[in-house]
Amino acid sequence: MRIFNKKKNDIIKSENIYIGRDSVCMADDVTAPNMSSFILTDNLEIFKNNICKCLPYIAADEIFIWNGSKGFFEQRSKNPNDICVHKNKDSTPLFSITINMQHHNVLDFQIKDNWYEIIKEYPYLFLVLEKHF
């Protein structure tokens, strides 16, 4: 979501979503240390594409299911963007993505109806590898 100054056509505020995730395997994970962020939008297709960009590239032609849930953050310095998102053990999944990791083809994407409101209020997500086939 972006808030614009209509007179100057400038962005006043952007809401960032901060994501942490478990690796599949450190050797496969060229994007370690697994922290990412993007600007929140209420467009579900853009949100799905942004999540997929946060997943590791894996050379095997395997199907993976990733669950996304609320995380919690640790502030690492005075810089507001210098945070680390960890897994919240008490959180239920907010969305689930079934994906062919080699081709980054999304085979299935399920998300709660109120996903935008939840993430807007709580902009820290953690992606967990649920299982692979």
Side-chain angles (χ1 to χ4, degrees), residues 81-128:
N81 291 325
D82 188 17
I83 64 171
C84 186
V85 177
H86 302 282
K87 183 177 180 178
N88 185 341
K89 295 178 183 176
D90 298 330
S91 185
T92 59
L94 177 60
F95 58 86
S96 175
I97 298 175
T98 304
I99 188 167
N100 178 321
M101 293 300 294
Q102 183 178 11
H103 303 290
H104 275 254
N105 292 336
V106 175
L107 305 175
D108 187 33
F109 182 66
Q110 297 180 12
I111 192 162
K112 290 186 178 180
D113 289 337
N114 58 345
W115 66 275
Y116 180 74
E117 290 80 17
I118 292 171
I119 296 171
K120 187 176 174 185
E121 287 181 28
Y122 197 88
Y124 304 102
L125 296 176
F126 195 83
L127 299 174
V128 176

Side-chain angles (χ1 to χ4, degrees), residues 31-42:
T31 59
N34 307 327
M35 190 64 195
S36 186
S37 69
F38 59 87
I39 296 173
L40 177 63
T41 175
D42 60 356

Side-chain angles (χ1 to χ4, degrees), residues 1-12:
M1 180 178 76
R2 296 181 179 187
I3 300 172
F4 289 93
N5 179 336
K6 291 182 181 179
K7 292 180 183 178
K8 296 184 178 180
N9 201 25
D10 292 334
I11 295 175
I12 299 172

Side-chain angles (χ1 to χ4, degrees), residues 39-100:
I39 296 173
L40 177 63
T41 175
D42 60 356
N43 181 306
L44 186 56
E45 194 63 29
I46 293 172
F47 177 78
K48 179 175 69 173
N49 290 335
N50 285 335
I51 292 294
C52 289
K53 290 176 188 176
C54 300
L55 299 174
Y57 174 77
I58 300 167
D61 187 19
E62 295 184 11
I63 307 300
F64 291 83
I65 297 176
W66 291 84
N67 286 335
S69 58
K70 295 177 189 176
F72 68 92
F73 77 100
E74 169 191 2
Q75 191 73 44
R76 299 189 302 187
S77 74
K78 292 182 181 181
N79 180 343
N81 291 325
D82 188 17
I83 64 171
C84 186
V85 177
H86 302 282
K87 183 177 180 178
N88 185 341
K89 295 178 183 176
D90 298 330
S91 185
T92 59
L94 177 60
F95 58 86
S96 175
I97 298 175
T98 304
I99 188 167
N100 178 321

